[in-house]
Every structure is written in C-alpha cells, then in structure tokens.
C-alpha cells in the first residue's frame, strides 16, 4: 500500500501569509494526487485534483504542484476562512489513502 | 445540484451489525463510482470501500475486509454499507463520496455530510 506523509502536521500562520504544505508518497503515483480542505464538523471539500488542477469554484490563491512522489499545496495569501485541516489523497491504485492531515492554525 | 445524504448511523454494541445508506441526487448515479470514507473522532480520513460504476467491482480497506459489504441500488440512487462484527475501532463519522473520473481526473468531488457510528457497550 502507498503511504502519504504530510508536513508539517501543524502550521501556524497569519492572514496574508503565503504557506506551503508538502505531501510525500512512499512510491510514485504519477499525478494522481488530490488535496482537500476540512473544517470542524464538516465534510472534506475538494480543492485540487491531478496534482495541479483547481476544482471549480475554489479561489485562485490555492495552487498545487508536483508529480511522482513529492507534491505541494500552496496558499498564496491566507484568508481567515482558510484556517482548517488539509489532507492529500492519492488515487493511483487501491487503497486510495489519505495523508495524516495538516492543521493550519492562526498565529 | 449534486447531493449525497447518509443515514443509518447509531450507537451499537460490539459484535452487532448496522447498515448505512447514502442517497444520491442531482446526477446520474449509475455513471459514478461511489466511496465510503470514515473519520474517527479527532482523527484523519480513512478510505473504507468503493463500488465502481461498472456495477460489479468493489474494493475494501484491509481493516474492514470480511466484515463490511458495500452494495448499490441504481434504481434507488442509493449506496449501502452493511457493517457486521462491529468493533470499538469502527467508531467514526462515515461519509460517502462521489469519484469524478471524467477526462482522467480522479478525485472525490462531492461528499455527504456524514453519519455517526458509535460502537460501545
């Protein structure tokens, strides 16, 4: 099974900051990586798929990059509504596992 | 609009069974693979099972294989998860999610709000 490791696990930042979250896969997954945002008590929301394609309706301050085993999610200028937990997920094969999550906190 | 609505969550004793449902609307249900994903309290997301749009292919996480059964009724636009021999570690919010595989994209583009399963004596 493919393991996904996100770093950092917790990220403290301020409104307006540029932040980057990394997701590393234990083996190559091509570009079959998605990023989700989850707020407390809510379902996850798709942000990015196939590593770099922005889901419809997601603000352009979110971007994704990478291929193979290393991927990043970048938020160019944090907004108050962006403080949440972020998960990466691979969809290369089964099981389509998730990273452990990165909690983005207000500094 | 696309909607997924889960139901069936409850408090059950260890060893007992429960069936979850996920009713879909706003899209052609039979065209999509639908997944179950769970999240234990305060923990991350864990993929559980999928039923492909081909109508026959199913996959399960090792943690539930042999205990959980996924099924779907396309005439009712509903996905099910039959959960047997429940354990305390199955306690979680259970989400269903639609997989978008159009044009090579692969991601879970719509999620339900979740249904809570608590396994406790």
């Amino acid at each position: 099974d493919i393991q996904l490791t996100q770093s950092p696990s917790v990220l403290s930042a301020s409104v307006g900051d540029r932040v980057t979250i990394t997701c590393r896969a234990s083996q190559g997954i091509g570009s079959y990586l998605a990023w989700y945002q989850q707020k407390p008590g809510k379902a996850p929301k798709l942000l990015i798929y196939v590593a770099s394609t922005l889901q419809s309706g997601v603000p352009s301050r979110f971007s994704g990059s990478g291929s193979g085993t290393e991927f990043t999610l970048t938020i160019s200028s944090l907004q108050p509504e962006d403080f949440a937990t972020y998960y990466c997920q691979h969809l290369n094969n089964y099981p389509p596992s998730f990273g452990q999550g990165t909690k983005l906190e207000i500094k | 609009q696309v909607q997924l609505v889960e139901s069936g969550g409850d408090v059950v004793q260890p060893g007992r069974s429960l069936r979850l449902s996920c009713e879909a609307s706003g899209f052609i249900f039979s065209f999509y693979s639908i997944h179950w994903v769970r999240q234990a309290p305060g923990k991350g997301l864990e993929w559980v099972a999928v039923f492909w749009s081909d109508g026959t292919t199913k996959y399960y996480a090792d943690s539930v294989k042999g205990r959980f059964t996924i099924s779907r009724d396309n005439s009712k636009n509903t996905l099910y998860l039959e959960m047997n021999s429940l354990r305390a570690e199955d306690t979680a919010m259970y989400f269903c999610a639609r997989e978008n595989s159009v044009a090579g994209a692969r991601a879970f583009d719509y999620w339900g709000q979740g249904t809570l399963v608590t396994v406790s004596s």
Side-chain angles (χ1 to χ4, degrees), chain A residues 62-79:
Chain A
F62 290 90
S63 64
S65 66
S67 66
T69 60
E70 187 151 338
F71 302 84
T72 59
L73 171 71
T74 298
I75 310 173
S76 60
S77 178
L78 275 173
Q79 299 302 299

Side-chain angles (χ1 to χ4, degrees), chain A residues 45-99:
Chain A
K45 173 188 174 183
L46 176 64
L47 300 175
I48 302 277
Y49 59 94
V50 289
S52 61
T53 302
L54 199 65
Q55 171 71 349
S56 175
V58 174
S60 59
R61 62 181 180 273
F62 290 90
S63 64
S65 66
S67 66
T69 60
E70 187 151 338
F71 302 84
T72 59
L73 171 71
T74 298
I75 310 173
S76 60
S77 178
L78 275 173
Q79 299 302 299
E81 61 268 28
D82 299 336
F83 292 94
T85 300
Y86 293 84
Y87 294 93
C88 59
Q89 181 201 24
H90 85 82
L91 293 102
N92 187 63
N93 56 18
Y94 284 93
S97 57
F98 294 87

Side-chain angles (χ1 to χ4, degrees), chain B residues 19 27 57 71 73 85 91 98:
Chain B
R19 187 177 83 157
F27 64 100
T57 304
S71 61
D73 185 339
S85 303
T91 294
R98 187 183 86 165

Side-chain angles (χ1 to χ4, degrees), chain A residues 1 32-34 36 38 41-46 48-50 55 87 89 91-100, chain B residues 33 35 37 39 43-47 50 52 59-62 95 99-100 104-113:
Chain A
D1 294 0
Y32 291 123
L33 189 100
Y36 301 87
Q38 188 180 33
K42 300 294 187 182
K45 173 188 174 183
L46 176 64
I48 302 277
Y49 59 94
V50 289
Q55 171 71 349
Y87 294 93
Q89 181 201 24
L91 293 102
N92 187 63
N93 56 18
Y94 284 93
S97 57
F98 294 87
Q100 83 278 13
Chain B
S33 300
H35 299 251
V37 176
Q39 187 169 37
K43 302 299 185 183
L45 301 169
E46 180 188 14
W47 176 81
V50 62
W52 281 14
Y59 289 100
Y60 298 92
D62 286 346
F95 299 98
E99 179 182 342
N100 182 9
R106 293 186 195 172
F108 295 1
D109 61 349
Y110 285 93
W111 297 65
Q113 84 289 349

Side-chain angles (χ1 to χ4, degrees), chain A residues 5-42:
Chain A
T5 303
Q6 290 182 229
S7 59
S9 293
V10 179
L11 179 56
S12 297
S14 301
V15 172
D17 284 353
R18 177 184 179 92
V19 298
T20 297
I21 299 169
T22 298
C23 178
R24 290 187 173 87
S26 59
Q27 58 186 270
I29 57 171
S31 295
Y32 291 123
L33 189 100
W35 290 97
Y36 301 87
Q37 176 193 68
Q38 188 180 33
K39 296 182 178 179
K42 300 294 187 182

